[in-house]
Amino acid sequence: MNTFLPLILPKLLATDAFFVFLMVQFIRGFPRELDEAARIDGCGHWRIFFNVIMPLMTPAIATTVIFTFIWTWNDFFSSLIYLTKPEMFTVPIALKSFLDSTGGSNWGAMFAMSVVSLIPVFLVFLFGQRFLIRGIATTGIK
């Protein structure tokens, strides 16, 4: 309670089934000859994975990182469950708590706060866009 650990740890342990499925399907698209050539060169399982498979998985890993960041940044319910101190609130909870139930909210400040909260998501997408495009381009070509 009142730490970011329950929000971050499940994401690091690959609890989102979509991304596990994405990685498995991306690896299945690799030619089997890459593994066989590395095995002939004397590589073991771990060396094949880290020296052959991982460099080829960069677009899929970047896609996973970008989407996980965006989904976690916008997550409302998980942070509502685990965070109770106002200084620990994430952006969606802070925006919701900024609303007044009587209708006397400061709408200009709330919209300014929501625009400022979009800047990290926009920057992550802007800098990661080339990896997303590369991931889409490499999965479509056989």
Side-chain angles (χ1 to χ4, degrees):
M1 295 297 292
N2 289 323
T3 65
F4 293 118
L5 190 62
L7 302 177
I8 296 171
L9 189 63
K11 300 299 180 183
L12 295 176
L13 296 175
T15 58
D16 295 331
F18 171 74
F19 297 121
V20 174
F21 179 73
L22 175 78
M23 293 292 182
V24 168
Q25 292 301 334
F26 196 80
I27 290 172
R28 283 186 182 168
F30 294 154
R32 187 72 180 147
E33 290 81 17
L34 291 173
D35 292 346
E36 293 170 358
R39 177 82 56 207
I40 290 171
D41 287 342
C43 293
H45 294 293
W46 291 105
R47 189 155 182 209
I48 290 172
F49 181 72
F50 285 113
N51 290 346
V52 177
I53 304 297
M54 282 294 280
L56 295 173
M57 286 180 56
T58 305
I61 292 171
T63 303
T64 300
V65 167
I66 291 167
F67 280 128
T68 300
F69 174 77
I70 292 171
W71 290 353
T72 305
W73 183 264
N74 293 326
D75 189 17
F76 181 78
F77 290 114
S78 295
S79 45
L80 186 65
I81 291 170
Y82 295 115
L83 303 176
T84 57
K85 291 182 184 177
E87 59 268 8
M88 296 294 293
F89 284 171
T90 58
V91 173
I93 295 178
L95 282 172
K96 179 65 179 155
S97 66
F98 201 74
L99 283 175
D100 187 13
S101 62
T102 62
S105 300
N106 185 356
W107 292 102
M110 188 179 70
F111 284 126
M113 204 164 97
S114 65
V115 168
V116 168
S117 73
L118 290 174
I119 292 172
V121 174
F122 179 71
L123 290 175
V124 166
F125 179 77
L126 186 69
F127 290 118
Q129 182 180 9
R130 62 186 168 121
F131 294 110
L132 287 172
I133 300 299
R134 191 181 313 155
I136 291 168
T138 57
T139 55
I141 299 173
K142 290 271 177 174

